[in-house]
Amino acid sequence: MNIEKFCEKYNLGKVRQISKMTGGLMHKMFKVETSKGNYCIKVLNPEVMTRKEAIHNYVISETISNRAKEKGIPVSSALLIDNNYLTKYEDNYYMVFDFANGKNFTDEEITIEHCQKIGNILARIHSLNYQELKLENKRENEEREYDWESFRTNPNFDKKNYQEAYLKNYKKYNSLLKRANERFNASNIESSLCHNDMDPKNVLWEGENPIIINWEVANLSNPYRELIENALCWSGFLSNHFDEDKFAAVIEEYLEIKPIKRDCYNLICGNLVGRFDWLKYNLERSLGICTHDSEEQKLAEKEVSKTIEEINRYVELIGPMYEIICKLTKEANHDYDELIEKIIASNNLLIGKKYEFITAGFTNTIYKVENYIIRICTNLENEKNFQKEIEFYKNNSDNPYIPKMFFSDTTKDIIPYDYEIIEKIEGQTLYEIWYKLDEAEKRKIVLKIIQILKNFHFKESEPYDFKSCMQSKVTELQKKCSLEETLVQKLLNLCSKYFQQNKFGLIHGDLHFDNFLYDGSHLHLIDFERYESAPIDYDLKIFACYKDVPYLWASAKTDMLTVESDYQTFLNLLLENYHELHEIPYIDERLEFYHILELLNDYKNTQNLEKLERVKKIVKELQSKEKTNNNN
């Protein structure tokens, strides 16, 4: 590149001084002082400019920035050089901007007021009319899945400072990316003009007045996805100082101008797609796959380390971000505060105590009242199960591993719903901590799980024809899933083989890690609405799926914290230490059969063909095992 000759050719003045600017992660930026003025000149990355549509995209982005400027949005946009925003000179592409004297704010300098201004500007950008710009509104589905293993085996990998961090994390990436793709596609609906990179490095401040720079990726995009990403960046996330108030300030100010019309959970998860794309791109740059520029490789090496760490922190913040947005956007369609106030006023345990609505709970309305949890069965279809739970708590009041029930009411005299007052159990769900534990800690918790289960698994229980129940489940799923007759017959044959003998007891009926609370020393089990008399191994039907799909039973808070690679040893650990299960004939095969039923239930709801193919594979493996056993 030759900036002096470029300035001379395009009449920008005689160059007096050139200073390299920091901040460009893909391109090179220079402050250029000439006899005619001060400019910021961007020299575009040659590798980027070889991409199809690159030039067209830059023209569109600058067209958008100029549209924003026309509408009073504070913008730094490219100057026209020979009637073009993008100019090729010799072997490089250049963009020229008037130099702005503003400064970027660090996360420590950013205030609530700055966040509010960003929310306001973002809403105004998203409200711009783009119809006359005749942009193509692409809504492509994401189906990315990368060969993360290939980066580990690259000859240059061992020389990189991110080696240890990458090896610790990469096995979970395609599990997260696959689900991020699904959520991205599910939320890929609205489009508006978006800047697409309006984080603090791309906003200059002249005093308290912002100027939005670097519009190179501006285009039609999902506005709510950009809103969430910008709220996160301006909240201190990039420097690992996430501030909930700053995050909320961006969104709250945005809502003053533009409403959010979608549930944001899919949007939040879908935003991981961009981070994985950025990680892949920088792995390729740092390892010399797509560039031989040593300076660019060093920059990319730093970005890999940073992005690995950001992905981990982002996943942990999905739950908190979703909760904040829900509080700011959800209308009170079902406001039950009046009910909880009546319950408090009528019960001596609660009188005078403050209450707080809890967002957890899939089937009931739940409040916390200091050291108590009040569960209200506002879903009348769940009333029978709710009453079962009340019965369970009454009959197991001496069990130290479950919450104490202090009061229940099914009369509907106080409120028109059944409700119960139970002990508030301290701790986190196992989904929240499992991915952080080493094998010794996991084993310790598994032993506690077994201790809890034995407490009611060994209660005397009336036996019944469980084999027929399993066969009925198969035939019911045949109708709902339109299963091939040959597959159904194979399942029925396996069922007849495995379920002749059963060890009955009381089972929880919904064992998954969101129903276990752990405070670091004590483990408790909650939610007994589905308890029943059944073979005790049937209580492990969800655990039997944890090697494949442990996240199917996770809450919004823990869904993306949960990946298969963290659960590969769990069921084996449980079976190794729950010795009474070994007395059950075909215990391994029975668990695989439960696995099949759970996969088919998911297939029924999602029509995900991968689940059906997985079922067929397990059936084939079971048949092969049977054939081998018969030959022996």
Side-chain angles (χ1 to χ4, degrees):
M1 62 184 171
N2 194 323
I3 292 176
E4 291 186 358
K5 286 186 177 180
F6 173 81
C7 291
E8 182 181 340
K9 177 175 176 61
Y10 292 105
N11 199 30
L12 296 174
K14 183 175 178 60
V15 173
R16 292 173 176 166
Q17 186 174 344
I18 299 175
S19 308
K20 188 171 183 182
M21 300 172 65
T22 59
L25 297 178
M26 294 176 66
H27 312 291
K28 295 178 179 177
M29 305 280 292
F30 300 89
K31 178 184 178 182
V32 181
E33 300 176 36
T34 77
S35 56
K36 289 192 174 182
N38 295 335
Y39 304 98
C40 174
I41 295 182
K42 179 184 291 188
V43 183
L44 300 177
N45 185 312
E47 186 273 324
V48 171
M49 298 312 295
T50 62
R51 299 175 190 172
K52 185 180 178 181
E53 301 292 327
I55 294 174
H56 176 68
N57 289 341
Y58 277 106
V59 172
I60 286 178
S61 66
E62 287 306 316
T63 302
I64 292 171
S65 73
N66 278 277
R67 170 55 55 92
K69 183 186 285 185
E70 290 169 7
K71 299 300 180 181
I73 295 170
V75 165
S76 171
S77 52
L79 303 177
L80 285 169
I81 305 291
D82 277 0
N83 212 35
N84 291 304
Y85 296 120
L86 186 67
T87 306
K88 186 173 184 182
Y89 177 68
E90 295 181 346
D91 294 329
N92 291 102
Y93 283 92
Y94 296 80
M95 296 178 78
V96 182
F97 305 82
D98 285 322
F99 184 80
N101 287 314
K103 62 167 283 190
N104 298 118
F105 283 162
T106 65
D107 286 343
E108 292 75 20
E109 294 172 309
I110 292 169
T111 65
I112 295 291
E113 289 71 26
H114 294 137
C115 293
Q116 290 170 334
K117 289 180 179 179
I118 292 302
N120 175 279
I121 290 172
L122 199 61
R124 289 161 61 195
I125 293 171
H126 292 170
S127 300
L128 292 172
N129 187 334
Y130 63 84
Q131 303 298 330
E132 57 198 65
L133 297 182
K134 297 180 180 178
L135 300 178
E136 186 178 355
N137 194 356
K138 295 181 180 179
R139 291 179 183 170
E140 298 177 356
N141 282 350
E142 297 289 350
E143 296 180 356
R144 292 175 170 87
E145 185 171 342
Y146 300 133
D147 185 3
W148 302 106
E149 184 73 22
S150 68
F151 298 120
R152 186 189 70 79
T153 58
N154 184 282
N156 296 319
F157 178 80
D158 292 342
K159 306 169 190 173
K160 302 301 175 183
N161 59 23
Y162 55 71
Q163 176 188 5
E164 183 179 348
Y166 186 79
L167 290 174
K168 186 177 179 181
N169 290 280
Y170 81 100
K171 289 183 179 179
K172 65 185 177 184
Y173 285 161
N174 271 330
S175 175
L176 292 173
L177 182 53
K178 181 180 178 182
R179 283 179 279 154
N181 284 336
E182 291 171 356
R183 274 67 183 273
F184 184 98
N185 296 337
S187 61
N188 200 20
I189 301 172
E190 285 84 7
S191 293
S192 69
L193 293 179
C194 293
H195 180 279
N196 288 324
D197 196 21
M198 209 170 87
D199 64 27
K201 75 176 183 300
N202 286 328
V203 179
L204 297 176
W205 296 84
E206 292 183 335
E208 294 299 304
N209 300 313
I211 303 170
I212 315 303
I213 64 173
N214 288 348
W215 289 73
E216 62 192 53
V217 290
N219 212 320
L220 283 179
S221 300
N222 188 305
Y224 309 129
R225 188 172 288 127
E226 180 174 39
L227 168 63
I228 291 165
E229 186 61 30
N230 276 307
L232 187 66
C233 291
W234 285 88
S235 70
F237 170 79
L238 297 177
S239 64
N240 196 15
H241 293 92
F242 177 72
D243 185 313
E244 291 187 4
D245 292 334
K246 291 179 182 178
F247 181 86
V250 174
I251 293 172
E252 196 165 15
E253 193 67 22
Y254 182 97
L255 291 171
E256 291 293 320
I257 297 174
K258 187 175 175 64
I260 297 176
K261 300 177 181 179
R262 297 282 164 189
D263 181 275
C264 286
Y265 186 70
N266 284 340
L267 291 160
I268 295 171
C269 295
N271 271 359
L272 269 171
V273 170
R275 283 186 162 77
F276 281 116
D277 283 349
W278 185 242
L279 176 60
K280 173 185 175 283
Y281 175 60
N282 282 291
L283 282 164
E284 290 173 340
R285 286 205 297 171
S286 70
L287 294 169
I289 296 171
C290 66
T291 181
H292 297 295
D293 184 319
S294 60
E295 185 178 344
E296 191 174 339
Q297 287 178 7
K298 288 178 182 177
L299 178 63
E301 185 174 355
K302 292 179 182 177
E303 284 301 304
V304 170
S305 296
K306 178 182 170 188
T307 308
I308 289 171
E309 195 257 339
E310 279 187 7
I311 288 171
N312 289 338
R313 287 193 287 112
Y314 188 96
V315 168
E316 291 189 342
L317 278 176
I318 286 174
M321 284 192 287
Y322 183 57
E323 192 168 301
I324 292 168
I325 295 171
C326 285
K327 287 179 180 177
L328 292 173
T329 60
K330 279 194 173 178
E331 297 179 3
N333 295 326
H334 300 286
D335 189 348
Y336 297 107
D337 286 0
E338 184 179 341
L339 300 182
I340 193 66
E341 287 169 1
K342 287 183 178 180
I343 292 172
I344 291 172
S346 69
N347 194 291
N348 290 332
L349 287 172
L350 308 177
I351 289 175
K353 291 181 168 59
K354 295 181 180 179
Y355 63 85
E356 177 186 345
F357 177 75
I358 296 177
T359 55
F362 295 104
T363 54
N364 301 301
T365 299
I366 306 175
Y367 284 86
K368 179 179 75 170
V369 182
E370 295 188 10
N371 293 325
Y372 303 96
I373 294 293
I374 288 76
R375 289 161 50 89
I376 308 172
C377 185
T378 49
N379 179 355
L380 296 181
E381 293 181 3
N382 190 53
E383 200 169 86
K384 186 176 179 181
N385 285 338
F386 193 84
Q387 290 171 1
K388 275 179 64 179
E389 178 173 76
I390 291 174
E391 176 191 23
F392 183 88
Y393 281 137
K394 286 180 177 178
N395 293 338
N396 292 272
S397 58
D398 58 343
N399 191 322
Y401 306 114
I402 67 175
K404 292 181 177 65
M405 187 177 72
F406 298 101
F407 184 81
S408 65
D409 187 358
T410 58
T411 66
K412 301 185 180 177
D413 290 340
I414 306 298
I415 62 171
Y417 303 105
D418 295 347
Y419 69 92
E420 63 186 10
I421 303 173
I422 61 175
E423 174 187 12
K424 181 184 179 296
I425 301 295
E426 298 297 335
Q428 296 176 290
T429 70
L430 288 185
Y431 273 134
E432 290 177 83
I433 64 170
W434 192 258
Y435 70 101
K436 301 177 183 178
L437 304 178
D438 61 29
E439 288 303 310
E441 291 170 316
K442 288 178 179 178
R443 185 177 186 279
K444 176 183 172 184
I445 289 178
V446 165
L447 294 176
K448 290 179 180 292
I449 291 173
I450 294 170
Q451 186 179 25
I452 290 174
L453 297 184
K454 286 184 175 182
N455 204 266
F456 49 86
H457 277 182
F458 294 156
K459 286 184 178 289
E460 194 170 328
S461 185
E462 194 69 30
Y464 56 90
D465 189 353
F466 186 68
K467 180 181 73 174
S468 294
C469 290
M470 291 293 98
Q471 290 171 329
S472 296
K473 287 183 182 294
V474 172
T475 53
E476 184 181 337
L477 284 166
Q478 177 186 17
K479 297 172 186 175
K480 293 182 178 178
C481 300
S482 301
L483 299 178
E484 299 172 2
E485 187 63 41
T486 53
L487 176 60
V488 172
Q489 192 55 53
K490 289 175 184 177
L491 289 171
L492 291 174
N493 291 340
L494 292 173
C495 195
S496 295
K497 178 82 172 177
Y498 300 149
F499 297 104
Q500 295 285 353
Q501 300 178 50
N502 301 286
K503 183 178 179 61
F504 283 85
L506 285 184
I507 70 167
H508 179 274
D510 193 25
L511 279 184
H512 56 73
F513 276 14
D514 255 353
N515 282 334
F516 284 96
L517 295 176
Y518 188 56
D519 65 3
S521 57
H522 299 99
L523 186 68
H524 286 84
L525 181 58
I526 61 173
D527 289 352
F528 287 86
E529 293 184 345
R530 298 183 187 178
Y531 97 90
E532 61 177 317
S533 172
I536 62 173
D537 61 302
Y538 191 49
D539 222 1
L540 311 184
K541 61 183 184 290
I542 293 174
F543 288 163
C545 302
Y546 268 26
K547 279 188 178 181
D548 274 359
V549 284
Y551 45 82
L552 286 184
W553 295 269
S555 66
K557 185 177 183 180
T558 55
D559 174 21
M560 297 297 277
L561 293 172
T562 309
V563 295
E564 302 90 315
S565 56
D566 291 328
Y567 290 80
Q568 293 306 299
T569 63
F570 169 67
L571 187 59
N572 288 339
L573 268 176
L574 193 146
L575 291 173
E576 286 169 10
N577 293 281
Y578 196 156
H579 304 296
E580 289 81 359
L581 291 175
H582 298 202
E583 300 170 6
I584 301 172
Y586 299 105
I587 180 61
D588 294 330
E589 290 84 355
R590 289 166 69 109
L591 291 173
E592 286 287 48
F593 196 89
Y594 302 147
H595 186 179
I596 287 169
L597 295 182
E598 293 299 321
L599 287 172
L600 287 175
N601 271 314
D602 189 57
Y603 173 68
K604 174 190 69 180
N605 297 326
T606 64
Q607 295 300 300
N608 185 332
L609 290 175
E610 286 184 19
K611 301 295 190 299
L612 186 57
E613 290 305 311
R614 180 68 179 129
V615 165
K616 292 177 180 179
K617 184 178 179 182
I618 297 172
V619 169
K620 187 175 180 179
E621 289 169 353
L622 288 173
Q623 285 186 309
S624 177
K625 188 173 181 180
E626 279 299 301
K627 187 176 180 181
T628 302
N629 289 339
N630 290 336
N631 290 339
N632 291 336

